[in-house]
Every structure is written in structure tokens, then in C-alpha cells.
Amino acid sequence: ATWTGSLRTQLLEMASVDEVAIAEGTSGIPEAAISVLHIVRGIANEEHVKEEMQRQQREEPEEELKQLYDSEIEEVDARISLAVSALESELLQMKKRLSEGAEGEEAPAGHDDIEARNAILELTPGVGGQEAALFAGELFDMYERFCEAQGWRFEVDSRTEAIGGGLQSCNVKIVDPSSGAGDPNGDCESGGHRVQRIPETERKGRMQTSSAVVVVMPIYIAKKSSGPGGQSVNSANQAVRLLHIPTGVSVFCATSQSQYENRIMAMDMLRTKLLQQELQTRYEYENKQRKEQKGTGDRSDKIRTYNFQRDEVIDHRLGKGSEAGVLGANDVLFGNGLQALLNEHRARARSDRLEDIADKLYSIYKNNTA
């Protein structure tokens, strides 16, 4: 789905520029894009070959001979698929160079300057009283089951049970031990989750709508020691209370009986908060450079609804016509259906990122030729 829309149109337009002009540096094409356009020309050539084969197949009068074209067309499709994958990788590699600010403006630090290191999960009930607390507890179990299936550690820093059952609040650290730099990919879970069902305590059989709030904050580590959180930290008063003087951001941790462990967890929390601010600054900067407004990315009060009466889950950012299909509420909340939703969010995020890179590349080209 990547090789479609504006990305395809923009890259094909740049790939049609005379190669002699590109070599002489008079085409307006950025040097960083030359390798990308080489791949694009290869894709365009393969598409031309495919179109010619399809034309010959349509004009072939013998049915048996027509069928011979099918395998050849499949081989071309396979080559196009490989080339598109190579194009995606090349675009992602050149993102840092394209993210430099225009006219000497310094771009704020962002994803290229940091590495994702696991995540912090917070869960609290929303509206709905006892049913909301029970729903929050079920979401806790869903995420714990999902992490176990992925081979991630689900480390509960704090958990408060609600009176009458369910969950009042929790703070969990999700760790991928396989690489030490895991990517839980759960940031798309942040927001309001709504459940519609008949509570067990409801005697008249009326359906109730309740909610819970999920917050997932990726833990980031700066690649350079000069990054946010690595300086101006005052922890002289208490071992587990950290204050970042320039911003005034402070954190407190008393989870463990070990002050050393509390300090480590507090530093993780502080780095996360500081780098979340840096990411927001980065996002606002990049958003100004886009030709079209693509939204802020903020979560609405209702990102997903679990309807047990119809046994379906609606992710309101993906819609009913998403590639994930219609998923059952029981399958997602009590089974393994969450994986399909996260997969589609990853695919869409990657596609949006690639379109953004192509858009910046095209803007540079147009500015150079204006």
C-alpha cells in the first residue's frame, strides 16, 4: 500500500528529470535523493513491463496461451514488491538528512537522536463506577497476556485494587529482554477505551457504557550523553526524588525498598518525561513543514469501543473498513485479537512516515526549481 497516492506521484515526477541535469547538479534534485530515484526508475520500468504483458494477454485469442502470461506477471509483481521494500528502506535512511531545518534553522532533536527503550503503562478507570474499575482490570490482564505472548517482561511497579473488585490504578514497566532496546509498539493504545455490555450486577438487563484510560509512554534513552535528562539533575535532597532544573520537571519513586533500584526507576521516569517533551517539540516543528495538515496525533476521549452485545471491537481511528477486519470483543479483551489491531496501526504509522519523507523531498525539489 506504500507505492500509491501522492508518494508515488511525487517520486515519479522527480524520477522523470533528465539524468544529465541531475549529474550536473542543475536539476534541483537533492543529492540525498539520487539513490531513491534510481530505485523509482526501476519500479517504473517494471510497471511498464507488466502493463505490456497484460495488454498482450488481453489480445491473445488462445485461452491456453493467455494463461501462460499469469506466471510471468506474478514474477514481475514479485520484483516490484522487492523494489518497493528497498525504496522504503532507502527513504527511512535519508530521513535525518531531510529533517534538517530550512535556511540554517536548527531542527529540534527527535526520533533520529534517541532510541526507544521499552515503555511505561498506566491504567485508571474512567466513568462508570464499579464497572469501569472491572473493565480497567480486564485491560490490565489483556496487556499482561499480550506481553507474555511477545516474550516481554511485565513488571508491575504499583497496583491498587478497587473496592469491590477491579483496578483503581497501576503503573507497569514493559521490557523487551531480547535486545535491551525493545519497542513495545503500544503508544497507539493511549487514550480512552469504552466498553458496552450488561454488567453482572444489572438486574434489569440494561446495557451500560463504561470507560478506562490507558497511557503508554515509551522510555527513551539519548544516544548522546548531552541529551535531555543527562544533565542539570539535582537529586541531593532525596535519592528517589529527581528534579530537572531547566524545565522544573520532577519525579518521585518509592516502589522498591532499595534506594538504588528506586533511583534507576526514577531516572527512567524523568528521561521519559523530558524526551516526551522533546518529541512533541519535534512533531510541532515537522508539522509546520508539511504541505497538508495531517492532524496532531492527540488521542480523543474514545479511541476504541468494545461492544459485547454485538461482539465487536471498533477502533475509531481505523474505522470499520480496516484491514484488521471485524474483531470480536471477547477475542480482543480475553483472547489474542489485540495483535491484529496493533499490526494495522504499525502499518499505517509507517506509511504516514514514508509519505511525510517523500513530501519533504518533493518540497525541496520544488523550492530548488522555483
Side-chain angles (χ1 to χ4, degrees):
T2 302
W3 184 240
T4 57
S6 62
L7 180 145
R8 183 179 187 275
T9 302
Q10 292 168 349
L11 292 181
L12 283 175
E13 179 181 337
M14 289 186 288
S16 65
V17 174
D18 183 67
E19 293 190 50
V20 175
I22 295 177
E24 294 176 349
T26 61
S27 65
I29 299 294
E31 183 179 352
I34 294 177
S35 59
V36 169
L37 298 184
H38 178 73
I39 298 174
V40 172
R41 292 190 190 96
I43 296 175
N45 290 336
E46 293 289 0
E47 288 183 332
H48 178 73
V49 170
K50 179 180 177 180
E51 291 173 0
E52 181 62 21
M53 285 185 177
Q54 290 175 329
R55 184 190 64 80
Q56 294 176 7
Q57 185 182 42
R58 289 193 300 270
E59 295 176 355
E60 175 59 52
E62 297 292 335
E63 189 64 30
E64 292 184 358
L65 294 178
K66 273 188 175 183
Q67 296 177 0
L68 295 178
Y69 282 96
D70 291 337
S71 60
E72 296 182 9
I73 292 175
E74 288 178 1
E75 291 178 1
V76 176
D77 283 335
R79 293 198 297 269
I80 292 175
S81 179
L82 288 174
V84 170
S85 296
L87 174 64
E88 293 177 359
S89 299
E90 190 66 27
L91 284 171
L92 292 173
Q93 288 176 5
M94 62 184 290
K95 173 160 172 54
K96 185 174 182 179
R97 286 166 287 178
L98 293 178
S99 295
E100 295 178 356
E103 299 181 356
E105 179 184 0
E106 183 178 356
H111 284 286
D112 295 323
D113 303 310
I114 56 180
E115 293 178 341
R117 298 272 182 178
N118 313 309
I120 293 174
L121 167 69
E122 297 178 357
L123 268 169
T124 53
V127 297
Q130 184 62 45
E131 176 68 8
L134 292 172
F135 178 49
E138 291 166 348
L139 288 174
F140 177 94
D141 294 338
M142 177 185 73
Y143 291 127
E144 183 176 26
R145 184 171 57 253
F146 176 78
C147 289
E148 289 177 355
Q150 301 299 314
W152 300 336
R153 293 203 305 270
F154 195 78
E155 301 177 353
V156 181
D157 290 337
S158 64
R159 173 174 175 143
T160 303
E161 301 291 335
I163 298 175
L167 183 69
Q168 186 62 40
S169 66
C170 76
N171 187 293
V172 178
K173 184 176 180 180
I174 300 174
V175 179
D176 178 3
S178 61
S179 63
D183 181 15
N185 287 302
D187 55 324
C188 59
E189 291 298 290
S190 293
H193 293 239
R194 187 176 70 170
V195 63
Q196 295 176 322
R197 63 186 174 189
I198 301 174
E200 294 182 1
T201 56
E202 173 58 48
R203 297 180 179 179
K204 296 183 179 181
R206 293 174 297 189
M207 186 173 70
Q208 178 177 326
T209 299
S210 306
S211 65
V213 178
V214 177
V215 176
V216 180
M217 295 184 296
I219 300 174
Y220 293 99
I221 301 297
K223 292 181 180 178
K224 300 179 181 179
S225 59
S226 59
Q231 55 186 334
S232 304
V233 175
N234 179 9
S235 58
N237 293 333
Q238 296 184 43
V240 293
R241 186 183 297 276
L242 303 181
L243 171 66
H244 189 256
I245 296 174
T247 61
V249 175
S250 64
V251 296
F252 177 80
C253 182
T255 301
S256 173
Q257 295 181 355
S258 167
Q259 291 184 346
Y260 174 74
E261 292 179 358
N262 284 334
R263 176 186 290 273
I264 293 176
M265 286 186 281
M267 286 299 296
D268 281 345
M269 295 166 62
L270 182 60
R271 290 190 184 99
T272 296
K273 286 189 175 182
L274 292 174
L275 285 157
Q276 284 291 102
Q277 291 182 359
E278 289 294 324
L279 287 175
Q280 182 62 27
T281 302
R282 175 67 178 185
Y283 179 85
E284 292 173 356
Y285 171 82
E286 290 185 341
N287 197 41
K288 293 178 182 178
Q289 311 305 314
R290 291 175 179 165
K291 293 175 65 178
E292 297 179 357
Q293 179 69 25
K294 293 186 177 180
T296 63
D298 293 338
R299 308 304 186 197
S300 65
D301 291 336
K302 180 183 65 178
I303 66 167
R304 187 178 299 151
T305 297
Y306 306 74
N307 188 304
F308 282 85
Q309 186 176 19
R310 296 193 298 267
D311 191 26
E312 69 176 13
V313 169
I314 301 175
D315 193 304
H316 300 281
R317 297 153 300 173
L318 299 177
K320 287 188 175 182
S322 68
E323 293 182 6
V326 179
L327 298 171
N330 283 288
D331 184 36
V332 174
L333 195 57
F334 303 116
N336 301 314
L338 180 61
Q339 182 70 69
L341 290 171
L342 292 182
N343 286 345
E344 182 156 359
H345 276 291
R346 289 192 196 103
R348 291 200 179 188
R350 179 182 175 87
S351 178
D352 288 344
R353 188 180 180 195
L354 290 168
E355 287 182 7
D356 185 39
I357 297 170
D359 188 60
K360 289 179 181 178
L361 179 60
Y362 187 73
S363 296
I364 294 173
Y365 163 64
K366 283 298 187 181
N367 289 336
N368 289 343
T369 56

